[in-house]
Amino acid sequence: SYQALSNSNGYVVIDCSLLCKPEEFVFSHEEGDWILEGQKYIGTVYSGSGCTNAVMLAATAKEFAPEEGALFAIGNCPSVGITGYLLGGGSGDVTPSTGWGSDDVLELRAVIWNGTNAEYITANKEENADFFWASLGGGGGLGVITDIKTAIVQSPEPLPHEDRRKFLYIQNLEFHYFGEESKREGLESFRRFLYEKTEESHKFGGGGFLHSEFFVL
């Protein structure tokens, strides 16, 4: 991450990038209700732990037709690894529609140390549930994650004047050449949009901040 949150004092960092093999991803097209009323997931994917956001986006887009509106929960940066993002909680542009990244994790496979030797386990709500729940939002350090099963969530229904599902976001729009008052007015306008135009704004994640020289949405 930008803040190097994947690093901890006294820990060994293991490069799992060679575990990312898109040709070995296992997709399903099962469907079911998701977190909020009206939400549903339209599939799952079992992937290696060393993949990045960009790899997961590309694989999901290849597997599902555009009209299905498949969303894989990711953050803003394509080069960030999915394991640290998902296990750290995982908030990003699609969070309003998919839930947090950790919400979308259905199962983990990991190598752990049981006090005597290394053990390869599968963890989900029923099996090794303590490891599973501790990992979701608790970050790394409990074991070496090798594989992750994740839900693919459907994007919101199209609005009446639209003919396809989509997810719209604003990323890194920087406004440098405005006075202090204009910058504040810009952020205030965006805030009003989020609160007053809920039929549109529910599709937005992320945020904005005010800098001494510019503001970013």
Side-chain angles (χ1 to χ4, degrees), residues 180-197:
E180 189 72 16
E181 187 60 32
S182 295
K183 288 185 288 187
R184 291 185 181 278
E185 289 177 358
L187 279 179
E188 178 63 21
S189 295
F190 188 61
R191 186 198 66 78
R192 286 197 302 270
F193 165 76
L194 293 177
Y195 279 88
E196 297 172 8
K197 303 291 184 181

Side-chain angles (χ1 to χ4, degrees), residues 78-211:
S79 64
V80 168
I82 60 168
T83 302
Y85 172 77
L86 294 172
L87 301 192
S91 176
D93 295 312
V94 298
T95 300
S97 295
T98 64
W100 287 68
S102 57
D103 292 330
D104 295 353
V105 177
L106 303 175
E107 189 168 275
L108 301 168
R109 292 175 184 156
V111 178
I112 65 171
W113 180 254
N114 64 11
T116 304
N117 54 7
E119 182 180 359
Y120 186 55
I121 67 168
T122 297
N124 51 47
K125 294 179 180 179
E126 287 79 33
E127 185 178 2
N128 294 303
D130 53 348
F131 181 92
F132 179 72
W133 291 116
S135 296
L136 302 188
L142 300 178
V144 180
I145 306 298
T146 60
D147 303 274
I148 304 177
K149 183 180 181 180
T150 315
I152 304 296
V153 183
Q154 191 171 52
S155 64
E157 291 280 355
L159 295 174
H161 61 279
E162 297 175 340
D163 59 0
R164 60 179 297 179
R165 295 176 181 273
K166 61 183 178 181
F167 188 92
L168 179 65
Y169 69 95
I170 301 173
Q171 181 177 11
N172 292 346
L173 292 183
E174 300 187 10
F175 298 84
H176 291 266
Y177 306 108
F178 297 95
E180 189 72 16
E181 187 60 32
S182 295
K183 288 185 288 187
R184 291 185 181 278
E185 289 177 358
L187 279 179
E188 178 63 21
S189 295
F190 188 61
R191 186 198 66 78
R192 286 197 302 270
F193 165 76
L194 293 177
Y195 279 88
E196 297 172 8
K197 303 291 184 181
T198 54
E199 72 279 3
E200 291 281 356
S201 66
H202 75 281
K203 299 181 180 181
F204 282 78
F209 64 87
L210 182 66
H211 187 270

Side-chain angles (χ1 to χ4, degrees), residues 24-37:
E24 297 181 4
F25 285 4
V26 179
F27 281 94
S28 79
H29 287 258
E30 62 188 270
E31 296 185 0
D33 294 332
W34 201 231
I35 301 170
L36 301 178
E37 184 178 353

